[in-house]
Amino acid sequence: MTADDRSLIRHTGRAFFPIAFVARLPFAMMVVGVLTLVVSVTGSVGLGGLTSAAVGVGVVIAGPVIGDAVDRFGQRRVLVPLGIANGLLLGLFPLVVTVSDSPGPVLAVAAAIGLSAPQAAAMSRSRLMGIIRLRLRVEQQPRTLSRVMSYESAADETAFVIGPFLVGILAAAFAPWAPIAIAAALSLVFVTAFALHPSGRIAAAARASGQSEERAPMSQLLRARVLVLVAATFGVGLFFGATLTSLTAFAQTAGDGVEAGLLYGLMGIGSAVLALAVALLPTRFALRHRWLVFAVVLAVSAAGYAASTSLSAVVVMLLLMGLGVGPTLVTLFSIAGYRSPIGRSATTMTLLGSALTLAQALASAVTGAIAESGDVRLAMMLPTAAGVLVLVLGLVNLRLERRERSAPRPARSDGAEVDITGAEREIPAPSRR
């Protein structure tokens, strides 16, 4: 378990990254796939939104519990049964929607899908953070961690784009149940492969040898510096859910609702590209400032989306919205990587992931109810409110940073002093004699 000069990818192996990416697709396809299937079978956008909300409620209830269990027992022992259970429930869902005469069973299975969601993205971040801290030399850690957070957030954003895009393509080309069936297969195969990947042995070996980090109390997760990130990620989730559902309603007025997934994918073109490009931004462009700048882009473009009356205008605004939402998500998870309490990285990441999914589902339910009442224009205004919320929280974060920079900075157990901006500088490690 000694550190060496090898790069991170030498420690993980090249197969880790594609496996980890595909393993997060079922999570990205759940809310959209459930919404598309229910709307297609029942014709009710309102019920589709409620079903998506049930998925989100299950995710937010189980997310912190799963994160804490992983921090205690390791990813392999937790993710293998979750991946199998989630895949089976996803496979069962189309049958329940088709044969059920009431919404009760549909909502119950949807909630169970959320409860069993493995959240591979949060687990990938946590695993890589553990490898960096255990296997890389101290002088390598800050830069590698920054790049990993950028990559992981870009991968998340790409998955959240590809997921809805796949849902739209599969639903249009085959049947509305096809995306859920594919998500079930991916969960069974790739989540299990991710859980059993050899990279997961490093953290297990660290626990066995007694070299794992001490675990901060859960109360550290309730500090303002963490909660502001959870709230902002919740705002991004509201944006995702309100945009998708209002777009579904808009597409229904113009044709077939399954086209919403294809239109939604347009937002991800600029989003994914710019999210990947965030790693190239200069370090002097501080994370707190990135949050504000890209949140402004998000809010302004969402206002343009709300004012759009034609399909061409909606397409243009979706492309512009992607330029704001991708980098914002990258920034939030990058800051979270630095602010995670000691030994609570998996819990922190699942909190943010749960907030994202819950907000997406709740926004889908509210937006669906508004659209169902016939007020599609009002539904299209909700993403603007979400964008403004993310911007306001960015200002709150700025105030928190100024307050904490004036206070003494805590030192990490590995000898790095961390401030709230996410910058690290090496300080002498305490004597072990």
Side-chain angles (χ1 to χ4, degrees):
M1 298 303 297
T2 57
D4 56 46
D5 292 325
R6 289 184 298 166
S7 65
L8 176 64
I9 199 168
R10 287 295 189 92
H11 289 290
T12 62
R14 294 186 180 276
F16 171 80
F17 291 95
I19 291 173
F21 179 79
V22 178
R24 69 187 77 197
L25 284 179
F27 191 78
M29 296 171 67
M30 283 178 192
V31 174
V32 184
V34 164
L35 175 66
T36 301
L37 177 61
V38 173
V39 171
S40 177
V41 173
T42 66
S44 172
V45 176
L47 180 58
L50 284 174
T51 309
S52 297
V55 175
V57 169
V59 168
V60 78
I61 290 173
V65 177
I66 293 171
D68 185 63
V70 167
D71 283 330
R72 289 177 181 274
F73 307 113
Q75 293 189 9
R76 183 170 298 188
R77 294 166 66 181
V78 176
L79 291 184
V80 170
L82 278 179
I84 294 173
N86 189 249
L88 294 176
L89 288 166
L90 283 168
L92 178 66
F93 186 74
L95 178 63
V96 174
V97 174
T98 303
V99 303
S100 179
D101 295 327
S102 64
V106 175
L107 295 175
V109 176
I113 289 173
L115 288 169
S116 62
Q119 301 198 30
M123 299 302 128
S124 177
R125 281 186 177 88
S126 176
R127 185 180 298 186
L128 292 174
M129 287 169 63
I131 294 173
I132 289 170
R133 290 173 178 170
L134 289 168
R135 289 294 184 89
L136 270 64
R137 295 192 183 277
V138 173
E139 58 271 18
Q140 293 177 272
Q141 292 182 16
R143 186 171 182 84
T144 305
L145 184 61
S146 176
R147 290 180 173 180
V148 163
M149 288 300 105
S150 293
Y151 163 76
E152 284 290 314
S153 296
D156 264 356
E157 181 62 25
T158 304
F160 271 101
V161 168
I162 291 177
F165 196 69
L166 285 176
V167 170
I169 290 176
L170 293 170
F174 298 100
W177 54 263
I180 296 294
I182 296 297
L186 292 177
S187 186
L188 285 169
V189 175
F190 282 91
V191 172
T192 303
F194 171 81
L196 298 177
H197 190 271
S199 60
R201 296 174 184 167
I202 295 178
R207 283 193 304 274
S209 62
Q211 297 180 20
S212 59
E213 298 175 317
E214 74 257 24
R215 300 174 69 245
M218 288 290 287
S219 60
Q220 292 292 311
L221 295 169
L222 302 179
R223 296 177 63 189
R225 68 199 312 263
V226 176
L227 292 179
V228 71
L229 298 174
V230 176
T233 310
F234 187 87
V236 174
L238 291 176
F239 174 84
F240 279 135
T243 302
L244 174 62
T245 311
S246 63
L247 194 58
T248 301
F250 178 83
Q252 279 191 324
T253 63
D256 193 343
V258 298
E259 295 174 356
L262 298 175
L263 291 173
Y264 190 69
L266 293 175
M267 185 175 71
I269 296 176
S271 181
V273 171
L274 209 56
L276 289 169
V278 166
L280 303 177
L281 293 175
T283 54
R284 63 179 178 273
F285 188 10
L287 294 175
R288 60 183 179 274
H289 296 146
R290 296 181 193 181
W291 183 344
L292 294 175
V293 168
F294 292 117
V296 168
V297 174
L298 184 65
V300 172
S301 58
Y305 167 78
S308 300
T309 56
S310 65
L311 181 61
S312 58
V314 166
V315 168
V316 171
M317 289 303 153
L318 287 172
L319 292 171
L320 293 177
M321 288 157 74
L323 299 180
V325 70
T328 300
L329 200 59
V330 169
T331 301
L332 293 174
F333 276 105
S334 295
I335 298 174
Y338 289 112
R339 296 187 188 175
S340 299
I342 295 297
R344 294 285 183 181
S345 61
T347 309
T348 303
M349 295 304 169
T350 51
L351 276 175
L352 266 65
S354 298
L356 187 73
T357 304
L358 175 66
Q360 184 179 11
L362 292 178
S364 296
V366 173
T367 309
I370 293 173
E372 187 108 321
S373 68
D375 200 341
V376 177
R377 302 309 310 174
L378 178 59
M380 294 179 69
M381 292 176 64
L382 296 182
T384 305
V388 171
L389 174 62
V390 175
L391 177 58
V392 170
L393 289 168
L395 295 172
V396 172
N397 176 71
L398 196 63
R399 184 176 179 84
L400 286 172
E401 289 195 13
R402 287 173 178 169
R403 186 177 67 187
E404 293 205 11
R405 279 200 302 271
S406 64
R409 301 187 189 101
R412 271 185 8 189
S413 61
D414 61 2
E417 186 177 291
V418 184
D419 66 27
I420 195 166
T421 66
E424 295 188 357
R425 59 184 180 88
E426 189 177 347
I427 62 174
S431 173
R432 290 179 172 82
R433 290 181 296 175

